[in-house]
Amino acid sequence: MRRAPAPGLLLPPPSPLLLLLGFLVLDRGCTAQYSSDLCSWRGSGLTHESHRKDVEQVYLRCSEGTIEWMYPTGALIVNLRPNIISSSYKHWTVCIKPYKNSAGANIYLEKTGELKLLVQEGDHSPTSVYCFNFDQGGLFVEATPQQDISRKITGFQYELISKGMASDLHMISAPCRPCSDTEVLLAVCSSDFVVRGTIQSVINEEDQQDSVISININRIYRQKTRIFNSAEENGRWQGQIKTLLQCGVKPGEGDFLFTGSMHFGEVRLGCAPRFKDFQRMYKEAKDKGLNPCEIGPD
């Protein structure tokens, strides 16, 4: 004989999101999908359209790459780790930059079954970057209900940044604030490029919310990749660096020390003191034996 439920024990049906998370906990390894190159992943929700609550696992072992999810249905768990054999990945910062036309899903931080909204569908500008630490959780990308999914693509770039990269963290936390002496000296040691030069022009790109700084370079101290090039007509080194439009950068006379990093395929400005100010702080630190690295003669 079937026993009737006791009064007061009836529970409301769980939400689809809770069902999704419950499925993830019970069947975490059954819908795994691996990236072909360990840096980027591209997939389609049409592969499981009949099972709209499927959760796919994506495993990436790279410092930067992309996620492209066409026709999003169900959800993705994106597992990001730097390509190092160490638990030090917990001391890295993860930053993601949604594609300009990314649509079809919300992006959450998931930790022990709890979700925190990171990027709402359609709620981002062309220059929006969202950063978090590994201990805050992992990426949970959930498709939103759609009448027609045929034109939806959820996509974003990601980068892993070591917390020891002072210029990167300065750019993330307060990109328009002048660097302190200590931040400048650390930026000289850790940036992707360090050059001495003058500002040729500043062009504001309103649609991208960026300012493009064209510089003439007098001395290259370091560039990890081919960021700056020699002009054929005069042999002088030149290049362009981007920073946020809100910083209000204007052309200024005299030499500057430009530092910065490559982020999401763009050259981004870090610390940029006047060169005479850098000379002062560098000499003071060197006299006290506190300069973190040598930059070489002028």
Side-chain angles (χ1 to χ4, degrees), residues 48-84:
H48 55 76
E49 187 177 7
S50 60
H51 305 285
R52 290 179 175 270
K53 289 187 173 59
D54 278 359
V55 179
E56 293 196 46
Q57 295 262 6
V58 177
Y59 297 88
L60 301 176
R61 298 291 184 270
C62 212
S63 60
E64 60 183 70
T66 59
I67 293 286
E68 293 186 13
W69 191 20
M70 299 176 290
Y71 320 116
T73 59
L76 296 179
I77 298 291
V78 182
N79 300 276
L80 300 175
R81 293 292 184 272
N83 191 21
I84 56 176

Side-chain angles (χ1 to χ4, degrees), residues 211-248:
S211 293
V212 180
I213 309 168
S214 297
I215 61 174
N216 291 320
I217 299 169
N218 300 324
R219 172 79 185 272
I220 296 178
Y221 295 98
R222 180 172 66 255
Q223 60 171 339
K224 293 182 180 179
T225 57
R226 194 73 171 183
I227 297 173
F228 305 105
N229 297 284
S230 177
E232 294 182 0
E233 59 273 12
N234 55 22
R236 296 192 63 180
W237 288 80
Q238 298 175 327
Q240 293 183 330
I241 307 171
K242 287 189 175 183
T243 192
L244 294 181
L245 180 65
Q246 69 190 56
C247 295

Side-chain angles (χ1 to χ4, degrees), residues 39-41 60 62-67 99 156-159 264:
C39 290
S40 298
W41 178 88
L60 301 176
C62 212
S63 60
E64 60 183 70
T66 59
I67 293 286
Y99 290 173
F156 59 87
Q157 298 170 275
Y158 74 87
E159 286 189 0
F264 303 108

